Amino acid sequence: MKLLVVGGAGYVGSTSVEGLVEAGHEVVVYDNLTSGHRESVVEGARLEIGDVEDGARLTELLSDGVDAVLHCAARSLVGESMADPGLYYRVNVAGGVTLLEAMRSTGVNRLVYSSSAAVYGEPRRVPIAEADRTEPINPYGATKLAFEGAMRWFAAAHDFRAISLRYFNVAGATERNGEDHDPETHLMPTVLRVAAGEHTHVQIFGQDYSTPDGTCIRDFIHVRDLAEGHLLALEATGEGDPSLEVYNLGSAAGFSVREVVEAARRVTGRAVPARAIKRRLGDPPVLVASSRRARRELGWQPAHSTLERMLADAWAWREAHPHGYASSRGDGAESVQPERAAASAG
Ligand code: UDP
């Protein structure tokens, strides 16, 4: 297939592109590099730089024989969304609808979307199933849900075959690509930065939740397993009636913030000092997925999503890229491996 991966230079997008190229697909990456990295685009994929709000550009790219779209471009930080909801509605909703319109006008009707567990808000039960109530408690989740609504109506009106994948907490790395955000706010990479001595301690946002150790519980999923989910979902859009299908992708195992910190101590063999502070706005206490539907209908198996494996892979990537992707560019890292720098130069 010829695929357009919108947001394909970001953490989730770039690892998926790796998998799609390996599986033999022709991939065009479309990314404005706001939070993505040029160096993360594997050889074999073509990078086109542009905004998701640029409908003319999307139309031009889609009309060049694209069979299906993977849409990963989004603003994705809960805290930032609480402070600046307009940005989230502009990029995640208006940008997404621009993409849908470009698809409609070019007759491309197969779409897989990176959605989020944040659409559920505070779940009434765990593990959460796809049909459970969706009541987001932050603009990030609200915009993800709003775009799912747009996909559903486009599917009905314009014969789209669309799949929305609701991810839980993505972690880990491949050998080539890993998590490099600036600023970094996610738990696992932050914990590893502390292990590496970049920060003095981890701040634990709240230890008065109604959970066994008082800290939030999340369902972590290896980015490799997510990439596999994308591939299976893209293939699944090739058959069936026009529809929007929704699947949770999680590991079905929840770990608390404190458990992640402890596992990071074991995996890295380093000290990881942690201090509890007050809760962060917008955080539900527990998010754990039931992924039975994805396993049953897509044949998805999250084979890499143990806490140790995710931390070990992310740690290995960090050690190979102590300055993130800047290490691949050679600006500042004496420990850059020459073959890695050369491999990502193009
Ligand atoms: N968290 C924390 N300290 C940090 C970063 C995150 O205690 O430095 C907590 C956060 O409050 C949440 C969990 O870790 O309960 C996962 O947060 P993250 O930002 O990684 O992902 P989210 O669940 O917001 O998508």
Side-chain angles (χ1 to χ4, degrees), residues 120-133 168 248 286-290 292:
Y120 294 110
E122 290 192 17
R124 288 192 182 155
R125 58 166 193 171
V126 286
I128 308 165
E130 290 83 354
D132 288 357
R133 185 188 63 155
F168 286 64
N248 288 338
V286 182
L287 283 176
V288 178
S290 164
R292 284 174 57 189

Side-chain angles (χ1 to χ4, degrees), residues 1-3 18 36 68 98 116 135 138 140 142 184 193 218 229 232 255 277 290 301-302:
M1 278 191 281
K2 180 164 181 177
L3 303 168
E18 268 188 71
T98 304
S116 167
E135 210 168 296
N138 51 58
Y140 169 57
E184 185 54 76
R193 283 183 186 200
R218 292 290 180 274
L232 292 168
F255 295 98
I277 61 165
S290 164
Q301 294 287 347

Side-chain angles (χ1 to χ4, degrees), residues 225-244:
D225 289 332
L226 212 56
E228 175 69 13
H230 285 147
L231 177 61
L232 292 168
L234 281 163
E235 284 166 357
T237 59
E239 49 200 47
D241 295 329
S243 65
L244 170 69

Side-chain angles (χ1 to χ4, degrees), residues 148-200:
E148 283 190 1
M151 284 169 82
R152 181 166 284 116
W153 293 114
F154 269 70
H158 307 302
D159 291 349
F160 274 38
R161 290 194 302 276
I163 291 183
S164 181
L165 299 173
R166 294 176 177 165
Y167 315 152
F168 286 64
N169 291 65
V170 187
T174 63
E175 275 172 34
R176 191 176 183 302
N177 284 315
E179 197 163 6
D180 179 7
H181 296 123
D182 186 22
E184 185 54 76
T185 65
H186 290 116
L187 181 64
M188 274 205 204
T190 301
V191 165
L192 294 179
R193 283 183 186 200
V194 174
E198 259 179 59
H199 302 304
T200 54

Side-chain angles (χ1 to χ4, degrees), residues 76 78 140 168-169 185-188 190 202-206 209 216-218 220 257 280 283-285 287:
S76 61
V78 168
Y140 169 57
F168 286 64
N169 291 65
T185 65
H186 290 116
L187 181 64
M188 274 205 204
T190 301
V202 181
Q203 295 184 321
I204 294 182
F205 299 143
Y209 285 98
C216 287
I217 293 177
R218 292 290 180 274
F220 295 90
V257 173
R280 185 175 72 176
D283 275 339
L287 283 176

